[in-house]
Amino acid sequence: MIIPIYISGTLIPKFNVTNDAGEVTLSAFYNPEMFHHLQLLFGCIAAVCAVLAVIGLWRKDRQEYFGTGEVVKVGFKDYVDVLAHNRAIQMLVASASSDKLSMSMRNNATIMITMFGVICGNYALYGSVSALTSIPVLTILGMGYIGRNLGQKKALVIGTMGSIASALGIFLLMWLGDPTSMKLPIVNGIKGLLNPATWSPANWSLFGLTFIFLYIVLGGFMSIASSIVIPMTADCADYEVYRSGRYVPGLMGTLFSFVDKIISSLAATFVALMFAAIGFTKELPVESTSYSDGIFWVTMACFIGAPLIGWIINLIAMKFYPLTKEKMEEIQEEIAAIKAKAMTKK
């Protein structure tokens, strides 16, 4: 929540270079000084989060809490066998990679600029939207109820179907409505977030309220679908124990890390190619770029179209994903028996 507010409300005004008439001659997004500032900021945040992750895992990162309770030597042939015959990890990789690519395109910085700065006419709205959608109520409720009561596979399917419906709602609103009529409280920096005048009813419009509602619903369903993937990776590792007796969490983690890096790098390339196709061959649009139909449709293709393709692939992959809630209960019973047998031998 805070980072988009900080960028749109504090850093952009600070690092935009203007002339005597107040016109922007160099956008902050092309000013190296802003990115130097962001590099230091995100480096510090990442370091703190890494330390917290290590602290959180410290007590549970022990052999008796995972796998078969004993060390299993794994060779290259075993890795090939896992990738060739573990249907669960095959389908999950297909689902996660398509989802990652589409989400990376949707959340690309240029798409946020054209969505709010060009189509809606006010990039500061991005900070407002981030503030208003910061509390993941739907994600918490969805992960808690759907994940525990229906199983992780159904949680992914429900999250995906909800994402499709709400994304189509946003597209229809942006296409049939007037995005420039979007009026939301503008959060000017962190202090503006705490100012009661910011949240005055006069700072809202019907278009803005409708957009925020759909955006919150979309964000909730998207988070359910994306957040459930990591626990499903652990299920795939348990399934491999059940299938072959091998515990290979390193393979699962490495595979997902590899896919994540490759896919994330491709997203920016696809976005750049799409904008190049409508004439932006030397530089990408910034918040001061004039509106055009080409910008609208490229933005919608990345913000709505690419995620829709990813979600459809999700649904297809889940048709062939074997790990239902009932199947996982069977697998956990089998793993418990394997562990008990290993403990008896010791």
Side-chain angles (χ1 to χ4, degrees):
M1 174 188 71
I2 294 175
I3 290 174
I5 295 173
Y6 181 59
I7 292 175
S8 62
T10 302
L11 293 187
I12 290 179
K14 178 180 179 181
F15 290 106
N16 270 341
V17 178
T18 59
N19 56 24
D20 295 336
E23 299 172 340
V24 176
T25 57
L26 177 66
S27 169
F29 290 102
Y30 287 101
N31 189 341
E33 292 184 13
M34 186 175 84
F35 289 97
H36 177 70
H37 180 92
L38 288 174
Q39 177 186 4
L40 297 176
L41 173 65
F42 288 124
C44 292
I45 293 174
V48 171
C49 290
V51 171
L52 292 176
V54 172
I55 293 173
L57 293 171
W58 192 274
R59 294 179 61 189
K60 291 295 183 180
D61 189 20
R62 300 206 301 268
Q63 182 68 36
E64 60 265 29
Y65 289 121
F66 49 82
T68 59
E70 59 183 8
V71 177
V72 178
K73 188 175 180 179
V74 180
F76 180 76
K77 290 183 178 180
D78 297 317
Y79 277 55
V80 174
D81 180 66
V82 170
L83 293 174
H85 299 103
N86 189 316
R87 176 56 61 86
I89 194 64
Q90 290 172 355
M91 294 301 100
L92 191 59
V93 167
S95 173
S97 59
S98 61
D99 193 66
K100 178 66 175 179
L101 175 59
S102 60
M103 289 302 103
S104 296
M105 291 178 66
R106 176 189 182 273
N107 296 322
N108 184 273
T110 301
I111 298 303
M112 294 296 103
I113 292 169
T114 55
M115 180 73 171
F116 295 102
V118 178
I119 297 174
C120 296
N122 187 354
Y123 183 67
L125 288 169
Y126 178 42
S128 301
V129 169
S130 299
L132 293 166
T133 59
S134 60
I135 303 175
V137 176
L138 288 178
T139 305
I140 295 170
L141 295 177
M143 290 286 287
Y145 176 79
I146 299 174
R148 282 196 297 267
N149 294 280
L150 302 180
Q152 294 173 357
K153 176 180 177 178
K154 285 188 177 179
L156 179 59
V157 171
I158 291 173
T160 299
M161 294 179 67
S163 298
I164 291 174
S166 49
L168 288 174
I170 290 179
F171 169 70
L172 291 175
L173 178 68
M174 298 295 292
W175 182 33
L176 302 176
D178 179 11
T180 59
S181 69
M182 184 187 296
K183 191 176 180 182
L184 295 171
I186 301 300
V187 182
N188 292 315
I190 307 302
K191 292 182 179 179
L193 181 66
L194 305 176
N195 187 351
T198 300
W199 309 105
S200 169
N203 295 330
W204 299 82
S205 69
L206 179 59
F207 187 100
L209 285 169
T210 307
F211 181 87
I212 281 296
F213 171 75
L214 291 172
Y215 201 89
I216 290 174
V217 173
L218 174 61
F221 279 117
M222 280 173 46
S223 296
I224 292 172
S226 60
S227 300
I228 208 72
V229 168
I230 300 302
M232 291 175 75
T233 308
D235 283 354
C236 291
D238 287 344
Y239 176 64
E240 184 59 29
V241 176
Y242 170 83
R243 188 186 74 85
S244 65
R246 294 184 295 257
Y247 182 59
V248 287
L251 169 62
M252 308 300 178
T254 301
L255 183 62
F256 268 83
S257 178
F258 176 75
V259 170
D260 180 80
K261 299 298 184 293
I262 294 295
I263 294 300
S264 296
S265 65
L266 289 175
T269 302
F270 288 157
V271 170
L273 288 174
M274 293 181 72
F275 277 110
I278 61 170
F280 291 90
T281 55
K282 294 183 178 180
E283 61 181 24
L284 291 168
V286 294
E287 73 279 7
S288 58
T289 301
S290 299
Y291 172 87
S292 70
D293 288 340
I295 289 178
F296 176 84
W297 288 111
V298 167
T299 301
M300 290 299 103
C302 295
F303 192 80
I304 301 293
L308 282 176
I309 294 172
W311 292 325
I312 291 171
I313 293 174
N314 274 359
L315 294 178
I316 295 172
M318 287 302 103
K319 284 286 186 180
F320 302 97
Y321 183 77
L323 304 183
T324 61
K325 180 183 178 183
E326 294 73 22
K327 184 64 176 179
M328 284 309 303
E329 290 173 353
E330 176 188 338
I331 289 172
Q332 292 303 328
E333 290 177 2
E334 180 66 22
I335 291 177
I338 294 173
K339 283 185 176 181
K341 185 176 180 180
M343 293 299 293
T344 301
K345 288 182 180 179
K346 290 181 179 180

